[in-house]
Amino acid sequence: MTSFLHHEDDMLVVGSATNKEEAVRLARTLDFDVVLMDIQLGEGAMDGIYAAIDIHDIHPAKIIMLILLRDERVITQAFTAGAVNYIEKSRFKDIPHAIRTAYRHPAARRTG
């Protein structure tokens, strides 16, 4: 994903994490505007949700959740955790647009 996003001239990836603890640690040390969070970050099935909650408490960044399948319960949990949008992993080509939209608009949005 980092390599994919590096091709976007108006985006800079400032950090990448493979688990919840690393994501929260980076949130404490980096300056960023948008978080692209895999809901299945690391070993736990919902670690992305827990990381988003912690990150949202640390930093006012906009969080976009990457989900595998559209599941209304999971989507609701993502928004409750502070996400402003979600996008299915199969639609990864839409991620740059979703990031730009989240950066520019304060309200929650659905890309699905």
Side-chain angles (χ1 to χ4, degrees), residues 84-104:
V84 297
N85 195 354
Y86 72 91
I87 190 164
E88 292 177 29
K89 292 178 185 180
S90 63
R91 298 184 58 178
F92 72 93
K93 290 183 180 179
D94 295 336
I95 291 172
H97 175 71
I99 292 170
R100 288 181 189 99
T101 300
Y103 177 75
R104 292 183 185 124

Side-chain angles (χ1 to χ4, degrees), residues 42-62:
E43 300 290 322
M46 300 294 274
D47 274 358
I49 294 283
Y50 302 121
I53 292 168
D54 290 347
I55 290 170
H56 197 262
D57 287 341
I58 295 166
H59 196 287
K62 296 169 182 156

Side-chain angles (χ1 to χ4, degrees), residues 14 16 25 33-34 42-43 54 57 67 69 78 83 90 95 99:
V14 297
S16 177
R25 182 178 50 79
D33 299 304
V34 177
E43 300 290 322
D54 290 347
D57 287 341
I67 62 172
L69 300 171
S90 63
I95 291 172
I99 292 170

Side-chain angles (χ1 to χ4, degrees), residues 57-76:
D57 287 341
I58 295 166
H59 196 287
K62 296 169 182 156
I63 300 170
I64 300 170
M65 284 289 190
L66 289 174
I67 62 172
L68 185 57
L69 300 171
R70 189 175 301 190
D71 177 336
E72 292 301 320
R73 182 183 57 83
V74 171
I75 292 167
T76 298

Side-chain angles (χ1 to χ4, degrees), residues 2 15-26 37-38 41-42:
T2 300
S16 177
T18 58
N19 60 53
K20 176 187 177 285
E21 292 76 21
E22 188 176 8
V24 172
R25 182 178 50 79
L26 288 173
M37 177 69 67
D38 189 335
L41 179 67

